[in-house]
Amino acid sequence: MRILIADDEELIIEFLERSLRIDKHVVDVARNGLEVMQKTEANTYDVIITDVIMPVKNGLEVCKELRENGVHTPIIMLTSRDTEAARISGLDAGADDYLTKPFSYKELSARVRAVARRPQNVAPTQLTVGPLSLDPVRKVISLDDSRIELRPKEYALLEYLMRNASKVVSKEELLKNVWLITANNASNRLEVCMHHIRGKVNTDDRQVLKTIRGYGYVIEA
């Protein structure tokens, strides 16, 4: 299997990397949440093992964003917090399993085999909203049967709006559930990204994506 390890503790990385490779797995490593997103965009994994506490994006943010982006790879979440609330947070974010540090490699290996055997979360069937159609397996959105070239963040934003068709979605909701950035300039960056999306789906004759001034954005069903 090809497995991605995401952790910022070198001892944990060395331990898991060595053990998994002894078991004949192909292993990639990410040391922060941003690297996880970059590696999952470029590669397909059988299992992802991620710590909760990581720089840039934490494990919960990573897990949630992967699921919103249509990545259904089984995820095992590692944490030092052995509380019911912590486990619920991880599972609600989209994790398939939850393992508390310290742990034995035998237990982790068994959990890797278990989640890999499970049918992956069944991806939704193709979604159609007006002239837009979304294929969640290939992560492709088409306009009138012609594929639209989208960056990952553009795809995630447009998918979120399509899944909330006819609902006016506020900037705050998009920043919280899709953008996952709280920087001061995040709103401006979101507006620029939405401008690029409008340029790809709107024409002079047809406004697929509408801006509701003072409220947010909407795609009419």
Side-chain angles (χ1 to χ4, degrees), residues 20-37:
L20 289 166
R21 284 180 174 162
I22 289 174
D23 282 349
K24 310 293 187 188
H25 298 299
V26 176
V27 180
D28 288 345
V29 173
R31 289 175 170 79
N32 60 62
L34 179 59
E35 286 186 10
V36 176
M37 303 311 300

Side-chain angles (χ1 to χ4, degrees), residues 52-53 60 79-87 89 98 100-101:
V52 171
I53 300 175
L60 296 175
T79 183
S80 56
R81 297 174 59 198
D82 186 18
T83 65
E84 181 181 54
R87 290 192 295 272
S89 296
Y98 195 95
T100 305
K101 297 178 180 180

Side-chain angles (χ1 to χ4, degrees), residues 22-195:
I22 289 174
D23 282 349
K24 310 293 187 188
H25 298 299
V26 176
V27 180
D28 288 345
V29 173
R31 289 175 170 79
N32 60 62
L34 179 59
E35 286 186 10
V36 176
M37 303 311 300
Q38 292 170 339
K39 288 181 180 292
T40 53
E41 286 176 13
N43 306 288
T44 299
Y45 295 99
D46 297 295
V47 176
I48 297 171
I49 301 170
T50 180
D51 191 20
V52 171
I53 300 175
M54 290 189 297
V56 188
K57 292 177 184 287
N58 65 45
L60 296 175
E61 293 171 329
V62 164
C63 190
K64 185 175 181 181
E65 187 168 350
L66 287 173
R67 296 313 188 213
E68 289 175 346
N69 289 350
V71 177
H72 299 282
T73 304
I75 297 175
I76 298 175
M77 192 162 285
L78 307 178
T79 183
S80 56
R81 297 174 59 198
D82 186 18
T83 65
E84 181 181 54
R87 290 192 295 272
I88 290 172
S89 296
L91 296 171
D92 282 348
D96 297 87
D97 205 348
Y98 195 95
L99 191 57
T100 305
K101 297 178 180 180
F103 55 84
S104 71
Y105 176 71
K106 285 185 177 180
E107 181 178 6
L108 175 65
S109 181
R111 289 173 184 260
V112 166
R113 294 193 299 271
V115 297
R117 283 196 302 267
R118 297 175 193 167
Q120 293 189 16
N121 295 334
V122 178
T125 56
Q126 183 163 305
L127 174 66
T128 300
V129 180
L132 292 172
S133 60
L134 180 148
D135 183 337
V137 176
R138 295 187 299 135
K139 293 198 289 187
V140 169
I141 297 178
S142 301
L143 177 68
D144 292 329
D145 298 324
S146 296
R147 177 172 175 167
I148 308 170
E149 294 300 326
L150 296 167
R151 296 176 178 177
K153 189 66 71 176
E154 293 172 349
Y155 173 90
L157 288 167
L158 192 52
E159 178 184 20
Y160 191 88
L161 290 168
M162 289 178 67
R163 296 195 183 282
N164 290 274
S166 298
K167 171 189 172 183
V168 178
V169 180
S170 68
K171 293 179 184 178
E172 290 74 18
E173 183 175 346
L174 289 173
L175 286 169
K176 177 181 178 182
N177 295 312
V178 183
W179 203 260
L180 299 175
I181 294 178
T182 57
N184 293 333
N185 64 343
S187 181
N188 291 336
R189 293 166 64 185
L190 172 64
E191 290 174 4
V192 170
C193 193
M194 294 302 296
H195 174 75

Side-chain angles (χ1 to χ4, degrees), residues 205-219:
D205 301 326
R206 183 173 57 190
Q207 301 296 303
V208 177
L209 171 60
K210 298 179 180 178
T211 300
I212 310 299
R213 294 190 181 279
Y215 293 95
Y217 307 92
V218 63
I219 291 178

